[in-house]
Amino acid sequence: FRFKDSLAEDLRRADLVISYAGAGSCLETLEKGKPLVVVINEKLMNNHQLELAKQLHRDGHVLCCNCSTLVETLQSMDLSTLKPFPPGQPEKFALFLDKVVGFQ
């Protein structure tokens, strides 16, 4: 989409979400319990999206790829390996983001 006021209804209906690694997009999707494939924008300078995506992938919450490996990732993915994102701990996520972007 170009722009929508809210993606809540789309997320509710989704079986799979493919998104960039923006913190809000990732958190909203994971809080809804939806499987998430994060596509990294490798052209960003000081790429905080890469750090966020890598950490969420290491923790087993998302699948991670770039534009050139998206098709391969979708063909080989096993969504049963994804771990649910722990609910109700926004302060831990905020601390992680602060660490990633260098505020700590």
Side-chain angles (χ1 to χ4, degrees):
F1 327 101
R2 285 211 177 277
F3 176 79
K4 287 184 105 171
D5 287 331
S6 173
L7 295 175
E9 180 60 22
D10 298 293
L11 286 174
R12 188 188 67 72
R13 292 189 334 235
D15 294 320
L16 172 70
V17 175
I18 300 171
S19 176
Y20 78 117
S25 298
C26 289
L27 184 57
E28 188 174 1
T29 301
L30 292 171
E31 284 178 342
K32 299 277 190 262
K34 301 297 179 168
L36 176 60
V37 176
V38 175
V39 181
I40 303 300
N41 180 350
E42 297 172 320
K43 296 179 182 179
L44 291 178
M45 294 180 64
N46 300 323
N47 196 348
H48 64 280
Q49 287 190 14
L50 177 62
E51 294 301 319
L52 175 60
K54 282 185 174 182
Q55 186 64 51
L56 290 172
H57 179 72
R58 276 193 294 267
D59 292 344
H61 302 300
V62 304
L63 298 174
C64 190
C65 65
N66 57 42
C67 288
S68 64
T69 61
L70 176 58
V71 171
E72 177 185 336
T73 299
L74 294 173
Q75 289 172 336
S76 65
M77 69 184 178
D78 179 0
L79 298 178
S80 71
T81 64
L82 295 178
K83 298 176 186 173
F85 190 73
Q89 299 178 335
E91 65 283 350
K92 286 187 177 183
F93 190 73
L95 288 172
F96 166 73
L97 285 180
D98 286 348
K99 181 179 174 185
V100 167
V101 296
F103 293 137
Q104 285 187 355

